[in-house]
Amino acid sequence: MTLAGLSDAERTGIFSVLAALLFLGDIEFEDAEIDNAEGSEISENSNDVVEKFCAIAQCHREVVKKALAQRTMTIVQGKDTNVFQIPLKKDEAEFARDTLAKQIYGRLFDYIVKAINDGMPLEGESQHFIGILDISGFEYFDNNGYVDFITIY
């Protein structure tokens, strides 16, 4: 990572995001009745995990609980706006957690690839590049991305 031109602070940030992702993936949900509707909540066993995730991600526990266990629906009728909080069932909350983790990981991957690409002098006389070996051989993408990497493997 040092050769890619990443500073100590950037490397620490990358490792912090990875640690937060590991904690996020460990958050478990349990079925719950919320406002007379079927829903879910973060299980008691996951309270410590949520605290660690929030500490690393620098966010508030209640915001995370709400974001993972509810979806917000906004209805605009003329000048009136109604906002509803709809509880997610256990499997929907798990899907929301996993989707959030994938989005964060994908953005982190794109950041790292961009940092590597920016740190390599591909213009001019240099003949060095990072390629991905697949069945067809080496490929060089001007715009590498997480989806490209996953598609190949």
Side-chain angles (χ1 to χ4, degrees):
M1 292 174 112
T2 304
L3 294 175
L6 293 171
S7 68
D8 288 340
E10 288 172 313
R11 288 193 309 269
T12 299
I14 288 168
F15 293 133
S16 294
V17 171
L18 289 173
L21 284 171
L22 292 172
F23 285 119
L24 178 61
D26 285 342
I27 296 174
E28 297 176 353
F29 299 90
E30 57 189 24
D31 293 321
E33 187 175 311
I34 300 170
D35 296 329
N36 296 325
E38 185 180 344
S40 67
E41 60 188 11
I42 294 174
S43 71
E44 291 293 322
N45 297 338
S46 293
N47 284 336
D48 290 341
V49 176
V50 173
E51 290 298 328
K52 291 174 184 174
F53 171 77
C54 291
I56 295 170
Q58 299 178 0
C59 56
H60 297 285
R61 175 182 169 71
E62 292 305 314
V63 172
V64 171
K65 286 175 61 176
K66 202 173 203 181
L68 294 178
Q70 297 178 1
R71 69 181 164 102
T72 303
M73 183 169 41
T74 304
I75 299 174
V76 179
Q77 295 175 331
K79 294 182 180 182
D80 295 330
T81 302
N82 296 313
V83 179
F84 299 96
Q85 302 296 325
I86 301 167
L88 298 175
K89 297 176 185 169
K90 181 181 175 185
D91 60 329
E92 294 170 329
E94 290 168 346
F95 183 78
R97 175 203 59 206
D98 295 345
T99 301
L100 176 61
K102 288 174 188 175
Q103 284 294 316
I104 294 170
Y105 187 79
R107 290 178 187 207
L108 177 64
F109 183 87
D110 290 344
Y111 174 80
I112 293 170
V113 169
K114 183 178 181 327
I116 291 171
N117 287 340
D118 290 348
M120 300 192 75
L122 293 177
E123 323 241 348
E125 299 177 21
S126 176
Q127 298 298 316
H128 297 83
F129 68 93
I130 293 180
I132 298 176
L133 179 61
D134 67 359
I135 291 174
S136 304
F138 279 102
E139 295 186 29
Y140 172 73
F141 301 107
D142 288 333
N143 186 9
N144 290 309
Y146 179 64
V147 174
D148 300 317
F149 183 74
I150 294 302
T151 301
I152 290 172
Y153 295 95

